[in-house]
């Protein structure tokens, strides 16, 4: 009987590890490195209790509670308490994401692509695949917990003791395990990898939001979310271990449920009914741009929600800015001091520049999708019919432009609306919106450079991302590192007037737009001349 | 009337010549078979014809227009089915068919439904769930629902079952009956033999033989099956005789057309009991060109 279910589980586990021998170490390294760097950065940034206490004050507003969880140990906000309070939840969410992606990759994705069928035709147990994937996830999460925990302790920061550090790691690992188990259940329920990942990530976001609502309002609601449990560990303050045990226990039950469901279903089947799709295309799906929108709809809606959220969360801290900046030296260095403007007003252009760079990501993705379509040999279906290359490329450029515009608008309005509701200062919503839209020409420039690459060097389209990272570094950190002005101006984002501390400069924006148009035209010319798909 | 014509079509990828002076000509109402092994240059030729790849040298015209410059105009009257049909995994087959039909401009609703029925396709499924054969059906339904004047089909049946292959052949014959032209690239030789009026054989980017099947057979020779009372000792040494095989007391061999007369005279001296002659199959033709010649190339 045992053989029926579990034969060759060990070899399959080794095989999973072999396939992910790079992927898993990279994930773990990224988590450990980020955690340790941030811990060090916190202690460097806030060197005395006074500065930390000032931060503790800013943490007392509901927006921060919703974002990072309820404050604890705020009365004595040590470096450890600060680290756990501000970073644990965010890190745990990403750990959850890693578990979702890794587990689906080795279960439903393999099943959908027919690889599990091959494996199952060998003398291998019926549950061996799922068990081996789960075992690997246990190993990954345990390693993550131990390395993060000992690493934090090894930093030798006074308030980060051994128990607290191990608990910090364990909290991350336990969150990882429960999301691996939840994903294992969703993998049984849905029939394809895409919707298994969608459901699992949806659950992760729901867990985050339920916890946010509970933490701000009725604490009982937070108990519904596994992310809410983990925060009850109060790492580095009270060091409760029971939330970790509770989480691991529930994870084990869920894993058992997943195994049971796997044992009673057919290979390739799911429990959720797969709806029959549409027999006919809607009138919308009748042109290259209709297709471009349809293909990217879901992703772009997610980005839109994300930018609105980013704008809103930046907005939520605007109210506390004045007191925050008064205490933090490094932030004052990053801002160019300008007479006649409040700190908040000076801070807005910096927030805008960051949000504009984030808004550029979906816009660039929208146009680069055409490259992906070419790589997947689907462009020829369109070009093989009565569609010119100009029309095809033009559709993706138009979509990218609209995406850029919508993303900037949402970020600006999110920042403005939430900001105004928490600020005492009287600022106009229109000012926020103008500050955001001033970046549209810079995003256009990024889209145009992407078009230029698609037209002339389709293999090098990845360079646009390097350029965006460069833009981020010079614009965001430009003040801190004192880059010369010409370096900042190498990025289109460096040419945008910093509203409200600078006036709107239409000429500059017009020139930027004109430059973008020329680059785009060159890109179109190249796209019309080159081979497709080679 | 010429529908499609290439002259000295050459396509180089770097130093490698994928096509080296390809000349083909498809007339109105003609089914033109384009055969050769994988990597010989069939798909490259077709992609040049579609204006997706740009020819390095030579000319290619469809409906008298340049395939590169007038691609959009040409495509309004062309239907194309690729050999490897890659579709969007999250659209349904029905949606893709409609999209394809709309991107061409003209549409015929009844024809679409009829073809979906004939090809036995479930259009409500997402493309990610389709097998290779079903993805090909999507492309075939979209192609044959459109009222095109030229059909360019690149190994369209490689994933179809025999029943569906027959439906495909019916569709091709119906199109021909309506005076449409078809360029059919394939390596399923029986299919080409059944459907095509003319054939071109491509090897390593060069057309090595072309013409009507009748002409090609004439060029190649005749297959003879002969039973004689006395053995024919010198048969294997005779000029123009190849591939001698013993078949149940008789000998089967191929004779070049120009030597046929000599060979028959020789045979008649040994007391012919039985003699059958047949044209070579396309496969025999094809193999003759490929055997010992280093098949294929790089795609």
């Amino acid at each position: 009987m045992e053989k029926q279910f579990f034969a060759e589980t060990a070899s399959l586990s080794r095989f999973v590890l072999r396939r992910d021998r790079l992927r898993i170490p990279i994930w773990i390294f990224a988590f450990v490195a980020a955690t340790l760097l941030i811990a060090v950065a916190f202690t460097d940034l806030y060197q005395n209790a006074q500065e930390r206490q000032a931060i503790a004050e800013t943490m007392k507003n509901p927006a921060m509670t919703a974002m990072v969880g309820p404050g604890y140990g705020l009365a004595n906000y040590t470096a450890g308490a600060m680290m756990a309070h501000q970073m644990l939840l965010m890190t745990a969410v990403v750990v959850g994401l890693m578990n979702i992606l890794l587990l689906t990759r080795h279960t439903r994705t393999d099943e959908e692509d027919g690889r599990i069928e091959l494996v199952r035709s060998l003398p291998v147990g019926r549950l061996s695949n799922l068990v081996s994937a789960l075992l690997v996830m246990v190993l990954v999460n345990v390693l993550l917990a131990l390395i993060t925990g000992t690493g934090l302790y090894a930093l030798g920061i006074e308030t980060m003791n051994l128990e607290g550090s191990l608990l910090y790691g364990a909290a991350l690992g336990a969150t990882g395990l429960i999301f691996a188990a939840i994903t294992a259940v969703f993998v049984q329920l849905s029939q394809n990898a895409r919707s298994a990942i969608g459901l699992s990530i949806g659950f992760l976001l729901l867990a985050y939001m339920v916890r946010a609502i509970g933490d701000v309002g009725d604490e009982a609601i937070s108990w519904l979310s596994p992310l809410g449990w983990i925060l009850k560990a109060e790492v580095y303050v009270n060091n409760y271990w029971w939330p970790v045990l509770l989480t691991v226990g529930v994870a084990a039950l869920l894993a058992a449920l997943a195994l049971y469901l796997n044992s009673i279903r057919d290979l390739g089947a799911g429990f959720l009914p797969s709806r029959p799709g549409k027999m006919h295309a809607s009138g919308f799906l009748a042109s290259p741009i209709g297709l471009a929108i349809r293909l990217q709809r879901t992703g772009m809606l997610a980005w839109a929600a994300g930018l609105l959220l980013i704008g809103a969360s930046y907005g939520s801290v605007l109210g506390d800015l004045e007191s925050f900046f008064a205490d933090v030296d490094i932030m004052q260095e990053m801002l160019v001091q300008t007479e006649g403007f409040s700190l908040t007003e000076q801070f807005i252009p910096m927030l805008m520049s960051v949000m504009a760079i984030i808004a550029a990501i979906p816009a660039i993705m929208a146009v680069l999708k055409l490259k992906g379509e070419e790589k997947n040999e689907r462009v020829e279906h369109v070009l093989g019919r009565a569609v010119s290359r100009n029309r095809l490329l033009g559709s993706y450029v138009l979509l990218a432009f609209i995406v850029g515009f919508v993303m900037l608008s949402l970020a600006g309005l999110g920042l403005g609306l939430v900001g105004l509701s928490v600020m005492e200062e009287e600022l106009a919503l229109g000012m926020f919106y103008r500050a955001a839209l001033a970046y549209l020409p810079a995003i256009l420039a990024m889209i145009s450079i992407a078009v230029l690459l698609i037209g002339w060097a389709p293999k090098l389209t990845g360079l646009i991302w390097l350029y965006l990272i460069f833009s981020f570094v010079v614009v965001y950190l430009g003040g801190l590192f004192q880059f010369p002005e010409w370096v900042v101006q190498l990025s289109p984002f460096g040419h945008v007037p910093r509203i409200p501390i600078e006036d709107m400069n239409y000429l500059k924006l017009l020139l930027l737009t004109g430059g973008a148009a020329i680059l785009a035209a060159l890109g179109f010319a190249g796209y019309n001349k080159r081979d497709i798909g080679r | 009337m010429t529908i499609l014509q290439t002259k000295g079509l050459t396509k180089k990828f770097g130093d490698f010549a994928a096509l080296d002076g390809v000349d083909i000509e498809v007339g109105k109402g003609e089914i033109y078979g384009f055969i050769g092994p994988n990597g010989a240059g069939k798909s490259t030729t077709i992609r040049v014809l579609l204006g997706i790849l740009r020819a390095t040298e030579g000319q290619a015209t469809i409906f008298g227009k340049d395939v590169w410059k007038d691609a959009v105009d040409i495509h309004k009257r062309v239907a194309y089915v690729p050999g490897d049909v890659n579709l969007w995994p999250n659209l349904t087959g029905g949606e893709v068919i409609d999209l394809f039909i709309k991107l061409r401009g003209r549409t015929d609703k009844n024809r679409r439904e009829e073809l979906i029925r004939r090809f036995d396709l479930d259009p409500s499924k997402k493309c990610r769930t389709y097998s290779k054969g079903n993805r090909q059906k999507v492309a075939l339904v979209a192609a044959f629902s459109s009222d095109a004047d030229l059909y360019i089909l690149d190994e369209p049946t490689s994933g179809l079952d025999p029943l569906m292959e027959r439906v495909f052949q019916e569709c091709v014959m119906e199109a021909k009956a309506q005076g449409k032209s078809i360029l059919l690239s394939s390596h399923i030789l029986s299919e080409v033999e059944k459907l095509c009026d003319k054939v071109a054989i491509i090897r390593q980017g060069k057309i090595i033989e072309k013409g009507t099947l009748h002409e090609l057979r004439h060029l190649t020779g005749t297959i003879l099956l002969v039973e004689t009372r006395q053995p024919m000792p010198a048969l294997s040494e005779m000029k123009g005789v190849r591939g001698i095989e013993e078949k149940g007391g008789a000998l089967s061999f191929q004779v070049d057309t120009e030597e046929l007369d000599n060979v028959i005279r020789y045979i008649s001296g040994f007391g012919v009991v039985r003699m059958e002659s047949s044209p070579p199959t396309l496969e025999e033709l094809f193999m003759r060109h490929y055997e010992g010649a280093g098949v294929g190339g790089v795609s």
Side-chain angles (χ1 to χ4, degrees), chain A residues 256-277:
Chain A
L257 173 66
L259 287 172
Y260 170 70
L261 291 175
N262 195 7
S263 71
I264 58 168
R265 73 175 174 89
D266 289 337
L267 188 70
F271 289 98
L272 296 178
S274 62
R275 299 173 281 143

PDB file of all heavy atoms in Angstrom, chain A residues 256-277:
ATOM      1  N   ALA A 256      -1.989  17.479   4.369  1.00  0.00           N
ATOM      2  CA  ALA A 256      -2.675  16.182   4.396  1.00  0.00           C
ATOM      3  C   ALA A 256      -3.919  16.241   3.518  1.00  0.00           C
ATOM      4  O   ALA A 256      -4.213  15.311   2.751  1.00  0.00           O
ATOM      5  CB  ALA A 256      -3.055  15.824   5.831  1.00  0.00           C
ATOM      6  N   LEU A 257      -4.638  17.353   3.594  1.00  0.00           N
ATOM      7  CA  LEU A 257      -5.824  17.525   2.758  1.00  0.00           C
ATOM      8  C   LEU A 257      -5.442  17.477   1.273  1.00  0.00           C
ATOM      9  O   LEU A 257      -6.098  16.817   0.457  1.00  0.00           O
ATOM     10  CB  LEU A 257      -6.506  18.863   3.085  1.00  0.00           C
ATOM     11  CG  LEU A 257      -7.675  19.261   2.174  1.00  0.00           C
ATOM     12  CD1 LEU A 257      -8.844  18.300   2.352  1.00  0.00           C
ATOM     13  CD2 LEU A 257      -8.128  20.696   2.440  1.00  0.00           C
ATOM     14  N   ALA A 258      -4.356  18.166   0.938  1.00  0.00           N
ATOM     15  CA  ALA A 258      -3.902  18.189  -0.460  1.00  0.00           C
ATOM     16  C   ALA A 258      -3.567  16.779  -0.931  1.00  0.00           C
ATOM     17  O   ALA A 258      -3.931  16.374  -2.037  1.00  0.00           O
ATOM     18  CB  ALA A 258      -2.698  19.106  -0.602  1.00  0.00           C
ATOM     19  N   LEU A 259      -2.895  16.013  -0.070  1.00  0.00           N
ATOM     20  CA  LEU A 259      -2.527  14.643  -0.433  1.00  0.00           C
ATOM     21  C   LEU A 259      -3.768  13.793  -0.636  1.00  0.00           C
ATOM     22  O   LEU A 259      -3.862  13.009  -1.575  1.00  0.00           O
ATOM     23  CB  LEU A 259      -1.637  14.029   0.650  1.00  0.00           C
ATOM     24  CG  LEU A 259      -0.214  14.578   0.688  1.00  0.00           C
ATOM     25  CD1 LEU A 259       0.529  14.057   1.907  1.00  0.00           C
ATOM     26  CD2 LEU A 259       0.527  14.213  -0.582  1.00  0.00           C
ATOM     27  N   TYR A 260      -4.755  13.983   0.266  1.00  0.00           N
ATOM     28  CA  TYR A 260      -5.990  13.214   0.125  1.00  0.00           C
ATOM     29  C   TYR A 260      -6.661  13.546  -1.211  1.00  0.00           C
ATOM     30  O   TYR A 260      -7.048  12.668  -1.976  1.00  0.00           O
ATOM     31  CB  TYR A 260      -6.935  13.499   1.296  1.00  0.00           C
ATOM     32  CG  TYR A 260      -8.311  12.933   1.078  1.00  0.00           C
ATOM     33  CD1 TYR A 260      -8.509  11.554   1.103  1.00  0.00           C
ATOM     34  CD2 TYR A 260      -9.394  13.763   0.790  1.00  0.00           C
ATOM     35  CE1 TYR A 260      -9.753  11.010   0.869  1.00  0.00           C
ATOM     36  CE2 TYR A 260     -10.651  13.227   0.548  1.00  0.00           C
ATOM     37  CZ  TYR A 260     -10.822  11.848   0.587  1.00  0.00           C
ATOM     38  OH  TYR A 260     -12.059  11.314   0.335  1.00  0.00           O
ATOM     39  N   LEU A 261      -6.782  14.855  -1.483  1.00  0.00           N
ATOM     40  CA  LEU A 261      -7.433  15.264  -2.734  1.00  0.00           C
ATOM     41  C   LEU A 261      -6.679  14.711  -3.942  1.00  0.00           C
ATOM     42  O   LEU A 261      -7.270  14.263  -4.918  1.00  0.00           O
ATOM     43  CB  LEU A 261      -7.512  16.792  -2.814  1.00  0.00           C
ATOM     44  CG  LEU A 261      -8.468  17.467  -1.830  1.00  0.00           C
ATOM     45  CD1 LEU A 261      -8.357  18.975  -1.922  1.00  0.00           C
ATOM     46  CD2 LEU A 261      -9.896  17.018  -2.093  1.00  0.00           C
ATOM     47  N   ASN A 262      -5.342  14.742  -3.848  1.00  0.00           N
ATOM     48  CA  ASN A 262      -4.542  14.236  -4.964  1.00  0.00           C
ATOM     49  C   ASN A 262      -4.792  12.745  -5.179  1.00  0.00           C
ATOM     50  O   ASN A 262      -4.838  12.261  -6.306  1.00  0.00           O
ATOM     51  CB  ASN A 262      -3.063  14.496  -4.676  1.00  0.00           C
ATOM     52  CG  ASN A 262      -2.205  14.350  -5.923  1.00  0.00           C
ATOM     53  OD1 ASN A 262      -2.728  14.188  -7.022  1.00  0.00           O
ATOM     54  ND2 ASN A 262      -0.902  14.399  -5.760  1.00  0.00           N
ATOM     55  N   SER A 263      -5.008  12.024  -4.050  1.00  0.00           N
ATOM     56  CA  SER A 263      -5.149  10.573  -4.166  1.00  0.00           C
ATOM     57  C   SER A 263      -6.492  10.181  -4.781  1.00  0.00           C
ATOM     58  O   SER A 263      -6.644   9.094  -5.308  1.00  0.00           O
ATOM     59  CB  SER A 263      -4.985   9.911  -2.796  1.00  0.00           C
ATOM     60  OG  SER A 263      -6.113  10.216  -1.997  1.00  0.00           O
ATOM     61  N   ILE A 264      -7.493  11.079  -4.700  1.00  0.00           N
ATOM     62  CA  ILE A 264      -8.805  10.672  -5.222  1.00  0.00           C
ATOM     63  C   ILE A 264      -9.116  11.310  -6.571  1.00  0.00           C
ATOM     64  O   ILE A 264     -10.195  11.142  -7.110  1.00  0.00           O
ATOM     65  CB  ILE A 264      -9.948  11.019  -4.232  1.00  0.00           C
ATOM     66  CG1 ILE A 264      -9.965  12.518  -3.938  1.00  0.00           C
ATOM     67  CG2 ILE A 264      -9.841  10.222  -2.954  1.00  0.00           C
ATOM     68  CD1 ILE A 264     -11.230  12.970  -3.215  1.00  0.00           C
ATOM     69  N   ARG A 265      -8.172  12.052  -7.147  1.00  0.00           N
ATOM     70  CA  ARG A 265      -8.502  12.651  -8.453  1.00  0.00           C
ATOM     71  C   ARG A 265      -7.704  11.978  -9.572  1.00  0.00           C
ATOM     72  O   ARG A 265      -6.683  11.343  -9.341  1.00  0.00           O
ATOM     73  CB  ARG A 265      -8.238  14.161  -8.433  1.00  0.00           C
ATOM     74  CG  ARG A 265      -6.775  14.538  -8.440  1.00  0.00           C
ATOM     75  CD  ARG A 265      -6.617  16.047  -8.536  1.00  0.00           C
ATOM     76  NE  ARG A 265      -5.217  16.436  -8.402  1.00  0.00           N
ATOM     77  CZ  ARG A 265      -4.380  16.537  -9.424  1.00  0.00           C
ATOM     78  NH1 ARG A 265      -4.796  16.262 -10.643  1.00  0.00           N
ATOM     79  NH2 ARG A 265      -3.129  16.893  -9.223  1.00  0.00           N
ATOM     80  N   ASP A 266      -8.199  12.176 -10.789  1.00  0.00           N
ATOM     81  CA  ASP A 266      -7.502  11.659 -11.959  1.00  0.00           C
ATOM     82  C   ASP A 266      -6.348  12.592 -12.313  1.00  0.00           C
ATOM     83  O   ASP A 266      -6.411  13.787 -12.057  1.00  0.00           O
ATOM     84  CB  ASP A 266      -8.441  11.602 -13.169  1.00  0.00           C
ATOM     85  CG  ASP A 266      -9.467  10.508 -13.011  1.00  0.00           C
ATOM     86  OD1 ASP A 266      -9.191   9.571 -12.235  1.00  0.00           O
ATOM     87  OD2 ASP A 266     -10.524  10.599 -13.642  1.00  0.00           O
ATOM     88  N   LEU A 267      -5.346  12.017 -12.948  1.00  0.00           N
ATOM     89  CA  LEU A 267      -4.247  12.840 -13.435  1.00  0.00           C
ATOM     90  C   LEU A 267      -4.794  13.832 -14.467  1.00  0.00           C
ATOM     91  O   LEU A 267      -5.556  13.468 -15.348  1.00  0.00           O
ATOM     92  CB  LEU A 267      -3.181  11.954 -14.091  1.00  0.00           C
ATOM     93  CG  LEU A 267      -1.895  12.661 -14.472  1.00  0.00           C
ATOM     94  CD1 LEU A 267      -1.112  13.047 -13.239  1.00  0.00           C
ATOM     95  CD2 LEU A 267      -1.057  11.796 -15.388  1.00  0.00           C
ATOM     96  N   GLY A 268      -4.412  15.083 -14.310  1.00  0.00           N
ATOM     97  CA  GLY A 268      -4.836  16.102 -15.269  1.00  0.00           C
ATOM     98  C   GLY A 268      -6.173  16.737 -14.937  1.00  0.00           C
ATOM     99  O   GLY A 268      -6.546  17.742 -15.521  1.00  0.00           O
ATOM    100  N   ALA A 269      -6.900  16.159 -13.948  1.00  0.00           N
ATOM    101  CA  ALA A 269      -8.208  16.707 -13.602  1.00  0.00           C
ATOM    102  C   ALA A 269      -8.105  17.647 -12.411  1.00  0.00           C
ATOM    103  O   ALA A 269      -7.106  17.676 -11.709  1.00  0.00           O
ATOM    104  CB  ALA A 269      -9.180  15.577 -13.277  1.00  0.00           C
ATOM    105  N   GLY A 270      -9.131  18.429 -12.193  1.00  0.00           N
ATOM    106  CA  GLY A 270      -9.201  19.307 -11.031  1.00  0.00           C
ATOM    107  C   GLY A 270     -10.585  19.198 -10.431  1.00  0.00           C
ATOM    108  O   GLY A 270     -11.469  18.578 -11.015  1.00  0.00           O
ATOM    109  N   PHE A 271     -10.779  19.805  -9.255  1.00  0.00           N
ATOM    110  CA  PHE A 271     -12.098  19.726  -8.634  1.00  0.00           C
ATOM    111  C   PHE A 271     -12.981  20.900  -9.024  1.00  0.00           C
ATOM    112  O   PHE A 271     -14.190  20.815  -9.001  1.00  0.00           O
ATOM    113  CB  PHE A 271     -11.970  19.639  -7.110  1.00  0.00           C
ATOM    114  CG  PHE A 271     -11.430  18.316  -6.665  1.00  0.00           C
ATOM    115  CD1 PHE A 271     -10.092  18.154  -6.369  1.00  0.00           C
ATOM    116  CD2 PHE A 271     -12.276  17.223  -6.571  1.00  0.00           C
ATOM    117  CE1 PHE A 271      -9.591  16.929  -5.983  1.00  0.00           C
ATOM    118  CE2 PHE A 271     -11.786  15.986  -6.177  1.00  0.00           C
ATOM    119  CZ  PHE A 271     -10.434  15.841  -5.885  1.00  0.00           C
ATOM    120  N   LEU A 272     -12.342  22.035  -9.333  1.00  0.00           N
ATOM    121  CA  LEU A 272     -13.145  23.177  -9.764  1.00  0.00           C
ATOM    122  C   LEU A 272     -13.558  22.936 -11.212  1.00  0.00           C
ATOM    123  O   LEU A 272     -12.743  22.543 -12.027  1.00  0.00           O
ATOM    124  CB  LEU A 272     -12.340  24.467  -9.668  1.00  0.00           C
ATOM    125  CG  LEU A 272     -11.898  24.878  -8.269  1.00  0.00           C
ATOM    126  CD1 LEU A 272     -11.066  26.137  -8.325  1.00  0.00           C
ATOM    127  CD2 LEU A 272     -13.116  25.100  -7.390  1.00  0.00           C
ATOM    128  N   PRO A 273     -14.831  23.139 -11.512  1.00  0.00           N
ATOM    129  CA  PRO A 273     -15.267  22.926 -12.896  1.00  0.00           C
ATOM    130  C   PRO A 273     -14.579  23.959 -13.797  1.00  0.00           C
ATOM    131  O   PRO A 273     -14.477  25.122 -13.435  1.00  0.00           O
ATOM    132  CB  PRO A 273     -16.775  23.170 -12.838  1.00  0.00           C
ATOM    133  CG  PRO A 273     -16.984  24.014 -11.628  1.00  0.00           C
ATOM    134  CD  PRO A 273     -15.905  23.647 -10.651  1.00  0.00           C
ATOM    135  N   SER A 274     -14.067  23.500 -14.955  1.00  0.00           N
ATOM    136  CA  SER A 274     -13.502  24.486 -15.869  1.00  0.00           C
ATOM    137  C   SER A 274     -14.610  24.928 -16.808  1.00  0.00           C
ATOM    138  O   SER A 274     -15.194  24.123 -17.520  1.00  0.00           O
ATOM    139  CB  SER A 274     -12.324  23.902 -16.639  1.00  0.00           C
ATOM    140  OG  SER A 274     -12.751  22.825 -17.409  1.00  0.00           O
ATOM    141  N   ARG A 275     -14.918  26.196 -16.740  1.00  0.00           N
ATOM    142  CA  ARG A 275     -16.031  26.723 -17.545  1.00  0.00           C
ATOM    143  C   ARG A 275     -15.688  26.604 -19.015  1.00  0.00           C
ATOM    144  O   ARG A 275     -14.549  26.822 -19.400  1.00  0.00           O
ATOM    145  CB  ARG A 275     -16.229  28.213 -17.256  1.00  0.00           C
ATOM    146  CG  ARG A 275     -16.566  28.553 -15.864  1.00  0.00           C
ATOM    147  CD  ARG A 275     -16.564  30.066 -15.726  1.00  0.00           C
ATOM    148  NE  ARG A 275     -15.207  30.590 -15.613  1.00  0.00           N
ATOM    149  CZ  ARG A 275     -14.793  31.709 -16.138  1.00  0.00           C
ATOM    150  NH1 ARG A 275     -15.587  32.422 -16.900  1.00  0.00           N
ATOM    151  NH2 ARG A 275     -13.562  32.133 -15.935  1.00  0.00           N
ATOM    152  N   PRO A 276     -16.669  26.274 -19.841  1.00  0.00           N
ATOM    153  CA  PRO A 276     -16.372  26.353 -21.271  1.00  0.00           C
ATOM    154  C   PRO A 276     -16.150  27.809 -21.654  1.00  0.00           C
ATOM    155  O   PRO A 276     -16.817  28.708 -21.142  1.00  0.00           O
ATOM    156  CB  PRO A 276     -17.633  25.786 -21.934  1.00  0.00           C
ATOM    157  CG  PRO A 276     -18.693  25.860 -20.907  1.00  0.00           C
ATOM    158  CD  PRO A 276     -18.033  25.815 -19.570  1.00  0.00           C
ATOM    159  N   GLY A 277     -15.177  28.026 -22.542  1.00  0.00           N
ATOM    160  CA  GLY A 277     -14.869  29.396 -22.933  1.00  0.00           C
ATOM    161  C   GLY A 277     -15.836  29.889 -23.983  1.00  0.00           C
ATOM    162  O   GLY A 277     -16.831  29.238 -24.310  1.00  0.00           O
TER     163      GLY A 277
END
